[in-house]
Amino acid sequence: MAAANGVSRIWVGQNGLLSVAAASAVVRGRVGDDESKASGAFILTGSHYPRGPHEDFGIKYNMKNGGPAPEAITGKIYENMETIREVLIAEDLSDVDLSIVGITSFEGHFYVEVFDSAYDYVELMKSIFDFNSIRKLLSSPKFTFCYDALHGVAGPYVKRIFLEELGADESSLMNCVCKEDFGGRHLDPSLTYARELLARMGLGTRSSQDEPPQFGAATDGDANHNMILGKRFFVSPSDSVAIIAANAAAAIPYFSGGLNGFARSMISSSALDSVALHQDVELFEVPTGWKFFSNLMDAGFCSIWGDESFGTGSDHIREKDGIWPVLAWLSIIAYKNKDKLEEENLVTVEDIVREHWTLFGRHYCTRYDYVNVGVDAAKRLMAYLVNLQRSGRININRIIRGILSNFPELSRCDEFEYEDSVDGSHSNHLGFRFWFHDDSKLIFCISRGDLEGATIQLYMERYSRDPANSQEAALTRLVTVALKLSKIEELTGRSAPSSITYRP
């Protein structure tokens, strides 16, 4: 199709495989106006769902900055699509062997270059991190780790980085063979789906009898989401990005010159805010959606960003990058142990997290997802939340006292709106927020899904200077207030959420 429509050159990753992050790195590294440079990229991906050759997949278009096309572009593409009456396809181009790196020319007018999928990305990672320090950590007999690629596209990159560049043992890698259907699994790198890794790390219901590694990580199907684990210890995504931000300048050479700013999605915990305040760095709270992060990075306002949906990254590319935070964590662990690699007891993931909580306090959080709720039910909930907030604090506090008489009073509430500091665009109706006097908060977000309905996300967070409480003890009362105050069960007909992230 490219050849038939006048494109002169295309690049294809070897074997047709390219992670979302690597695609962004390739475009940014080859951007320009002449024929040897890239003007954008099409990415065909099953993302983190159990898709295969006969199932759904997504098509993304990334711009010259390496990031997904903004709505103005995708809207124009959709308009043009509606006018298509024929599809041009050139014949006799099927003899390009995608397994062999090289350039194939067709009569000197059209070129197909198959390139090493991992090279550009690995070189970028080597320019960001101190691979020597990570290599020393991985070679220490006192340190053990494992990485689960979940049969996604991360496999070739993980092998190149950890086996060839960092000298790790192959036994440390799990499920690094790419499979068309990802082995038939749901590929969220989460406590719900990464069961094999959880078992190995001593966190699953069927944990391995072997001593768990000290560090574990997983990435999803297209390698743009991540999960970080310690031995029998889970690191929440919001804590993960906050800890990376707190240690980046000292542990990651790329940030040695300073940090421009941080950003998080509105539905993420405020852990990153505490770091920003401590470092006197600007913090941006943005709606869910990649373009808001990308705008900030293009303008030089944001160095590190994260969201509670297991997305973490920096301004090195304009995409989510699941491998980058794994290397960031290993860099931090290496930095914390730079003079201790021969000692019996190394500084562990749990040590680093608990030290962070001691310094900044702990943000306990959980998320309830109600998937494919009927559109009418979602509208009823939205209307109720609007009226509830309009009724004012006095009325809301009266309702809360009827639920739990000694629960802290509401301090403020609003419906989140966002003014983009880069392009001036305004976004509204982004979620309902409630704050209480004990530094806890509730957020209700409603997103339109497919034809089956909408998804309601209920996010609950409580901040405490005492990090010793259990997740359950910290959040149980807040969960009770959230469910009864919102009447979510009554208005949706759902007796329980479809899933719970970070179950209290």
Side-chain angles (χ1 to χ4, degrees):
M1 293 176 69
N5 284 277
V7 174
S8 62
R9 179 185 294 265
I10 64 171
W11 289 269
V12 184
Q14 191 173 15
N15 296 312
L17 298 175
L18 202 65
S19 75
V20 169
S24 180
V26 169
V27 172
R28 290 174 65 79
R30 305 186 183 206
V31 70
D33 297 321
D34 61 80
E35 290 187 355
S36 66
K37 303 297 183 181
S39 57
F42 286 100
I43 304 172
L44 281 64
T45 173
S47 190
H48 45 287
Y49 299 102
R51 303 307 190 193
H54 305 294
E55 301 292 340
D56 275 344
F57 65 92
I59 301 176
K60 295 174 60 178
Y61 179 64
N62 284 31
M63 305 285 284
K64 284 186 176 182
N65 72 342
E71 291 181 6
I73 300 298
T74 56
K76 188 65 176 177
I77 291 173
Y78 182 79
E79 288 179 17
N80 291 341
M81 183 192 72
E82 292 189 308
T83 68
I84 293 176
R85 297 294 178 265
E86 62 179 359
V87 176
L88 303 179
I89 299 178
E91 298 179 353
D92 301 325
L93 298 183
S94 60
D95 57 346
V96 177
D97 189 342
L98 298 183
S99 68
I100 300 175
V101 172
I103 300 175
T104 303
S105 172
F106 295 91
E107 299 181 357
H109 300 295
F110 181 67
Y111 299 88
V112 177
E113 180 178 343
V114 178
F115 63 91
D116 181 340
S117 301
Y119 179 80
D120 295 55
Y121 179 80
V122 173
E123 289 302 303
L124 178 60
M125 293 300 103
K126 289 165 67 176
S127 73
I128 294 172
F129 301 103
D130 182 352
F131 270 40
N132 285 331
S133 67
I134 300 175
R135 189 181 298 110
K136 289 179 182 178
L137 174 69
L138 299 187
S139 65
S140 170
K142 308 298 183 183
F143 182 79
T144 52
F145 86 103
C146 64
Y147 191 120
D148 191 349
L150 293 169
H151 291 305
V153 76
Y157 303 91
V158 171
K159 288 181 179 179
R160 184 75 65 87
I161 290 171
F162 288 96
L163 300 185
E164 297 183 23
E165 296 289 343
L166 297 175
D169 191 278
E170 193 163 5
S171 63
S172 301
L173 307 184
M174 303 166 58
N175 302 316
C176 286
V177 176
C178 298
K179 294 186 176 181
E180 287 183 329
D181 63 350
F182 309 132
R185 306 188 233 179
H186 192 297
L187 288 194
D188 268 334
S190 68
L191 293 175
T192 302
Y193 298 108
R195 296 186 181 95
E196 188 178 348
L197 176 63
L198 291 173
R200 189 162 176 180
M201 296 301 298
L203 287 166
T205 55
R206 297 181 179 179
S207 297
S208 170
Q209 298 301 310
D210 298 329
E211 178 69 8
Q214 293 175 319
F215 176 80
T219 43
D220 67 340
D222 50 9
N224 64 356
H225 291 81
N226 75 96
M227 179 171 65
I228 302 298
L229 303 169
K231 181 169 67 174
R232 302 187 185 95
F233 190 84
F234 168 69
V235 184
S236 78
S238 294
D239 277 338
S240 178
V241 67
I243 290 167
I244 291 173
N247 292 279
I252 303 174
Y254 181 79
F255 298 113
S256 60
L259 297 153
N260 297 326
F262 304 140
R264 63 167 176 84
S265 63
M266 178 268 289
I267 202 173
S268 300
S269 95
S270 302
L272 188 59
D273 305 42
S274 299
V275 177
L277 182 64
H278 183 266
Q279 296 188 354
D280 194 25
V281 171
E282 190 167 7
L283 185 285
F284 297 88
E285 183 181 30
V286 305
T288 300
W290 175 252
K291 78 157 189 167
F292 303 104
F293 291 122
S294 187
N295 280 355
L296 292 171
M297 289 186 288
D298 280 345
F301 295 160
C302 174
S303 296
I304 295 174
W305 63 269
D307 63 48
E308 52 78 52
S309 296
F310 295 90
T312 317
S314 85
D315 59 358
H316 65 289
I317 54 171
R318 295 298 179 269
E319 273 284 7
K320 298 177 180 179
D321 187 346
I323 297 175
W324 180 89
V326 179
L327 292 170
W329 262 95
L330 288 171
S331 297
I332 293 168
I333 296 169
Y335 175 76
K336 298 284 186 180
N337 289 286
K338 60 183 178 181
D339 299 320
K340 302 179 180 181
L341 292 180
E342 301 304 320
E343 296 182 10
E344 189 64 31
N345 297 315
L346 299 181
V347 176
T348 66
V349 171
E350 183 173 354
D351 292 336
I352 292 169
V353 175
R354 293 195 179 281
E355 179 187 27
H356 182 87
W357 289 341
T358 299
L359 179 61
F360 295 101
R362 182 175 178 182
H363 295 261
Y364 299 88
C365 55
T366 187
R367 191 184 85 197
Y368 285 19
D369 284 359
Y370 297 80
V371 180
N372 287 334
V373 172
V375 174
D376 290 341
K379 287 181 178 179
R380 285 195 298 271
L381 179 64
M382 290 175 67
Y384 172 76
L385 292 172
V386 169
N387 290 331
L388 181 65
Q389 291 192 336
R390 287 176 178 172
S391 71
R393 282 194 303 149
I394 294 176
N395 179 61
I396 295 173
N397 282 323
R398 178 186 60 80
I399 296 173
I400 292 173
R401 284 194 298 272
I403 299 170
L404 285 176
S405 59
N406 59 348
F407 193 81
E409 289 193 342
L410 181 78
S411 58
R412 63 188 175 103
C413 58
D414 70 6
E415 188 174 6
F416 182 54
E417 297 185 2
Y418 181 72
E419 189 80 31
D420 195 299
S421 57
V422 179
D423 62 19
S425 62
H426 184 80
S427 304
N428 53 21
H429 305 304
L430 299 171
F432 301 90
R433 306 186 294 180
F434 299 81
W435 288 267
F436 301 91
H437 283 299
D438 68 339
D439 291 322
S440 59
K441 68 179 179 182
L442 303 175
I443 300 175
F444 297 84
C445 290
I446 300 173
S447 61
R448 289 298 297 268
D450 53 24
L451 296 177
E452 297 180 48
T455 293
I456 297 171
Q457 292 181 329
L458 165 55
Y459 180 82
M460 294 161 277
E461 176 186 347
R462 181 187 169 203
Y463 174 74
S464 174
R465 288 298 308 180
D466 180 7
N469 291 326
S470 69
Q471 180 91 337
E472 182 176 9
L475 292 175
T476 295
R477 284 159 45 85
L478 183 60
V479 170
T480 298
V481 169
L483 297 178
K484 293 186 176 181
L485 177 65
S486 66
K487 297 184 178 180
I488 195 167
E489 293 185 7
E490 174 185 334
L491 295 171
T492 65
R494 295 287 185 88
S495 60
S498 307
S499 65
I500 298 176
T501 307
Y502 337 130
R503 182 182 295 272

